[in-house]
Amino acid sequence: MLRVGLTGGIGCGKSTVAAMMRDAGCCVIEADPLAHRLTEPGTPAHAEIVKEFGRDVLLPDGHVDRKKLGPIVFADPAKLQRLNQIVHPCVIEEQERLLAEFAKERPDGVAVVEAALLIEAGYHKRLDRLVVVWCRPEQQRERLRARGMSDADIEKRIAAQMPLDAKRRLADDEIDSSATLEETRRQVEALVKRFKEIAVRK
């Protein structure tokens, strides 16, 4: 099985590319939904988040309110690091479990782990290839504004991630999402075809 990491800057189109890779026959594991599930009430990570950040970051039903927690951690690098120390280990453990399951089911398949902080967490070192999705900086900001984010929030979120140029220098493969969706899909399909050939040879 070929283990592929998929990352990029916020607003660069990672989720779109992940969906295209799934459509092309890859097994895709998305870190964000895993993190949500692994921080639900009753989990060890949830208890740690409450201990660290207080009950003010919870919704009335006890779930973590990301709209409250986000501004707190993105305004303070030390708090963001602490949150990542709580969440990343359990997400990585679950990713490894899912990858092992997939390897049994399809030993010649392509598994993709999509995560914003894949490199920052050091997880890319456990994978066979790293794909970085990128677009022009002005496009990135336009897309984030279209999501309703303020310019100040956009700059905090971008600053909290490794610079896109640094991510691209570590990439084995890149997807340029600056053009049309059709052009992005063409790049993804060509890349997945190559990955499938590599997976069969492994």
Side-chain angles (χ1 to χ4, degrees):
M1 181 185 78
L2 189 70
R3 293 161 54 114
V4 177
L6 175 65
T7 194
I10 182 172
C12 287
K14 287 184 309 300
S15 298
T16 300
V17 169
M20 290 176 179
M21 294 182 92
R22 185 181 283 114
D23 290 345
C26 299
C27 167
V28 177
I29 299 167
E30 294 171 283
D32 224 25
L34 278 188
H36 290 189
R37 179 161 61 80
L38 295 167
T39 55
E40 285 181 351
T43 61
H46 182 276
E48 281 293 308
I49 289 169
V50 172
K51 182 179 172 185
E52 188 70 31
F53 298 99
R55 300 197 67 81
D56 287 345
V57 300
L58 300 182
L59 292 162
D61 65 1
H63 284 79
V64 175
D65 186 343
R66 282 165 179 79
K67 288 182 179 174
K68 286 184 182 173
L69 186 56
I72 293 169
V73 298
F74 287 111
D76 185 334
K79 288 180 179 175
L80 180 60
Q81 184 180 16
R82 180 66 190 120
L83 179 64
N84 289 338
Q85 285 170 348
I86 294 168
V87 177
H88 282 171
C90 54
V91 170
I92 287 171
E93 185 181 345
E94 182 65 2
Q95 283 170 179
E96 287 294 319
R97 187 186 70 78
L98 292 169
L99 285 169
E101 268 184 18
F102 182 66
K104 285 180 189 172
E105 291 168 15
R106 285 173 57 189
D108 59 351
V110 178
V112 178
V113 177
E114 182 265 307
L117 301 180
L118 192 82
I119 297 170
E120 291 89 332
Y123 192 70
H124 65 297
K125 295 172 185 173
R126 303 191 190 193
L127 304 171
D128 300 312
R129 297 193 75 82
L130 177 65
V131 180
V132 173
V133 183
W134 66 277
C135 64
R136 295 190 305 275
E138 63 272 19
Q139 275 184 309
Q140 184 183 18
R141 286 166 173 81
E142 280 169 19
R143 291 171 181 178
L144 294 172
R145 284 189 200 103
R147 292 186 193 175
M149 290 176 66
S150 70
D151 285 351
D153 281 343
I154 288 168
E155 296 313 318
K156 281 178 190 172
R157 296 294 179 103
I158 291 173
Q161 295 185 351
M162 179 186 288
L164 202 45
D165 285 346
K167 289 187 177 186
R168 290 178 66 187
R169 284 195 291 273
L170 292 171
D172 297 298
D173 306 278
E174 297 184 26
I175 296 288
D176 175 3
S177 71
S178 300
T180 63
L181 276 175
E182 289 74 21
E183 176 54 33
T184 300
R185 190 179 295 278
R186 277 196 289 274
Q187 293 175 67
V188 171
E189 288 176 350
L191 194 57
V192 170
K193 183 180 179 210
R194 187 151 56 84
F195 285 166
K196 287 178 176 176
E197 290 166 358
I198 295 169
V200 169
R201 290 200 302 268
K202 271 194 81 178

